[in-house]
Amino acid sequence: MNALTGMAGGELAEPTTRPYSKWFDPHPRLGISMIDHLYNRLDGAYPHWWSANFASQQAIDNWAESWVEAFEDEGITPEDVAVGLRTCRVRYQKPPSCAEFIQACKPSADPVPAYHEAVEGIQARRKGELGAWSHPAIYWAAMLLARDLMTQSYGQVKDRWAAALKAQLARNEWADIPPPAPALPAPGQANLSKEDAARMLRELDALGMNKAAKPGEFDHLRWARRIMQRVDAGDKSLYALQIANAKEVLGLT
């Protein structure tokens, strides 16, 4: 049935004037517009319940214009609608409202499952893996809060996470998810060539960082002396506790 040009068994309604949208264009493969196709799919998923919502052709036209306007505002794509139809089958026993259907189209907008996906994705990337990302917005939101997501509970980050995810989803366009940085080898597992090892030793020697201290030469109080040097130089960034500890170990208190 072509839902927007006449109800089954009825006369064709007078054509209405609508703002242009691709959702009203005839689809070459479907033979009808995408919004017509969506009406038919929902009518098939909710037999009798769906069509019972529309008492006239004008009611169908009103539904189509309202939903298409919402799709345009929210950046809903045909691919999103396919996701929405699958989600509705398991989430809603009765026909969804416009808001419910849009939420079904973008399940990644739910911050709770997106949070768990983000945590697992960050862990995977730290191992040198790409991670499983259902939507690029989750990845980019996760990168903004990566440290907090890995060190704090969901209760501590849920508001910031929800805000970051919402902001990313609102962008409607996202850069590609980059490949992960190579994972660092575990201690003792590095495969370093003799040439690279020699080069690193030369660089450390040049920086004065590879000189072995003779017994009794290592200054265990160097950290305290450096703090006091910074105090004498007028460094105001030191904490009072740092200064007090340095003075104590140096016998200056």
Side-chain angles (χ1 to χ4, degrees):
M1 179 180 69
N2 190 329
L4 304 185
T5 57
M7 301 179 69
E11 296 181 358
L12 294 180
E14 291 295 327
T16 58
T17 302
R18 308 184 181 92
Y20 171 75
S21 171
K22 65 181 182 296
W23 291 92
F24 294 120
D25 289 343
H27 192 280
R29 183 171 59 84
L30 300 173
I32 57 176
S33 70
M34 291 186 291
I35 196 66
D36 277 343
H37 182 63
L38 176 58
Y39 178 97
N40 293 341
R41 290 294 302 276
L42 289 169
D43 190 34
Y46 302 97
H48 307 301
W49 283 1
W50 178 254
S51 59
N53 290 318
F54 307 98
S56 66
Q57 180 61 42
Q58 185 61 53
I60 296 177
D61 289 342
N62 293 343
W63 164 81
E65 293 178 15
S66 176
W67 280 44
V68 166
E69 180 181 10
F71 288 177
E72 295 286 3
D73 288 346
E74 299 296 331
I76 299 295
T77 67
E79 292 74 19
D80 292 332
V81 168
V83 173
L85 288 169
R86 290 195 297 270
T87 304
C88 282
R89 285 200 296 265
V90 297
R91 181 177 293 184
Y92 302 122
Q93 295 182 351
K94 295 183 179 180
S97 66
C98 182
E100 288 172 336
F101 187 78
I102 288 176
Q103 186 177 36
C105 287
K106 293 187 174 182
S108 55
D110 189 334
V112 176
Y115 162 80
H116 293 291
E117 178 181 318
V119 171
E120 292 176 2
I122 294 171
Q123 291 173 337
R125 292 184 72 83
R126 290 185 175 182
K127 298 176 184 177
E129 302 169 1
L130 181 63
W133 304 96
S134 63
H135 197 288
I138 298 178
Y139 168 80
W140 291 110
M143 293 303 101
L144 290 174
L145 295 175
R147 182 173 181 178
D148 291 345
L149 292 175
M150 300 306 294
T151 59
Q152 299 180 23
S153 67
Y154 179 70
Q156 292 173 303
V157 301
K158 66 177 183 178
D159 291 339
R160 283 174 291 147
W161 168 247
L165 180 61
K166 182 179 180 180
Q168 285 297 321
L169 287 168
R171 295 173 65 91
N172 292 330
E173 293 184 6
W174 304 270
D176 293 336
I177 296 175
L184 294 175
Q189 300 298 316
N191 186 17
L192 193 66
S193 67
K194 292 182 179 179
E195 293 77 9
D196 288 339
R199 175 182 56 78
M200 291 177 65
L201 289 174
R202 289 194 299 271
E203 292 174 354
L204 291 174
D205 286 338
L207 294 172
M209 299 174 62
N210 194 38
K211 296 178 180 179
K214 296 179 181 179
E217 284 188 351
F218 186 77
D219 185 0
H220 294 279
L221 300 181
R222 183 170 179 267
W223 64 271
R225 300 185 201 283
R226 293 190 63 181
I227 287 177
M228 296 311 302
Q229 289 172 357
R230 290 170 61 185
V231 170
D232 293 339
D235 190 338
K236 302 298 184 182
S237 65
L238 293 164
Y239 291 102
L241 182 61
Q242 290 178 287
I243 299 173
N245 288 339
K247 287 182 176 182
E248 181 178 357
V249 298
L250 292 174
L252 300 177
T253 56

